[in-house]
Amino acid sequence: MIELDRAGDIWTVTINRPDKANSLTHAMLVELAEIMEEAQAARAVILTGRGKVFSAGADLDEARAGLAKSDVWERLSGAVAALPGLSIAALNGTLAGGAMGMALACDLRIAAPGAKFFYPVMKLGFLPQPSDPARMAALIGPARTKLLLMGGQKITAEEALTFGLIDRIVAAEEVQEHAQALAADTVAASPDVAQEIKRMCGPA
């Protein structure tokens, strides 16, 4: 249910469980984390989903059985954040719940026009993953982070772009192609230069 395409220096990781809105099981999360840990050698990593939803978050049955509180989410988002190459979340559709963490950890986020964004953990009686609120607040500010996490708001792609949660809206059929184009300059550059620029763009 996780597909990996290593096309040269660009790795594309695809969540492929469209019949379940690409909801994530523990096994899928472990596989994603292992791929991201191995992807230290990649110049760019693109994370996307199959179908019309990027990911609805945790598989509900597994969430109720303890997945919602598992540290595997932090392992995954930490591995994404630690990638030395450019990381791009190519959001083919809606991004919800715990799946938000891996997208927040990416360097860039592009989304299809119909995508929705929400993180309803508080309604379900869970806390967000530890690093997610700070990463979200760094992008959209504390008040808007509370709007999503505490106000329970579901926002559109247009609102997400205005907030700064995503960086660009792209036609649904062009999301993957656009992500490849964004990665092209990084892949063409000297690895040392590209990695140093990424480091310079990080927190002061």
Side-chain angles (χ1 to χ4, degrees):
M1 288 182 275
I2 303 298
E3 300 174 356
L4 172 60
D5 177 21
R6 302 188 192 190
D9 290 319
I10 301 176
W11 291 23
T12 301
V13 184
T14 305
I15 304 168
N16 186 9
R17 199 189 182 200
D19 57 315
K20 297 290 187 180
N22 287 335
S23 59
L24 298 160
T25 65
H26 184 270
M28 291 168 70
L29 288 163
V30 169
E31 187 174 357
L32 282 166
E34 288 174 346
I35 289 171
M36 294 303 171
E37 288 161 357
E38 188 181 351
Q40 296 291 312
R43 298 292 312 283
V45 175
I46 297 169
L47 184 58
T48 192
R50 190 76 66 199
K52 296 183 178 180
V53 174
F54 173 77
S55 176
D59 176 272
L60 286 179
D61 289 338
E62 292 203 19
R64 296 186 188 102
L67 182 59
K69 298 180 180 179
S70 171
D71 60 4
V72 70
W73 300 94
E74 282 292 292
R75 178 185 172 190
L76 172 55
S77 62
V80 173
L83 289 169
L86 183 68
S87 54
I88 303 170
L91 304 170
N92 52 296
T94 291
L95 171 64
M100 191 81 73
M102 66 181 102
L104 291 170
C106 284
D107 298 313
L108 300 173
R109 285 153 296 280
I110 62 174
K116 302 289 192 300
F117 301 83
F118 56 106
Y119 199 156
V121 285
M122 189 176 72
K123 291 180 181 179
L124 300 173
F126 302 119
L127 290 171
Q129 297 307 312
S131 63
D132 288 356
R135 287 199 179 108
M136 188 183 291
L139 292 171
I140 68 176
R144 285 171 169 170
T145 297
K146 292 169 189 170
L147 188 70
L148 268 68
L149 294 180
M150 301 183 74
Q153 295 300 290
K154 179 185 293 187
I155 63 172
T156 64
E158 290 76 13
E159 287 176 298
L161 182 63
T162 300
F163 283 11
L165 187 63
I166 61 174
D167 304 297
R168 187 166 283 173
I169 297 173
V170 183
E173 65 274 13
E174 298 173 6
V175 168
Q176 182 62 31
E177 181 182 350
H178 192 70
Q180 293 278 341
L182 288 173
D185 275 5
T186 289
V187 170
S190 159
D192 291 343
V193 171
Q195 290 178 24
E196 180 62 12
I197 289 174
K198 178 166 175 172
R199 187 197 65 79
M200 293 169 72
C201 291

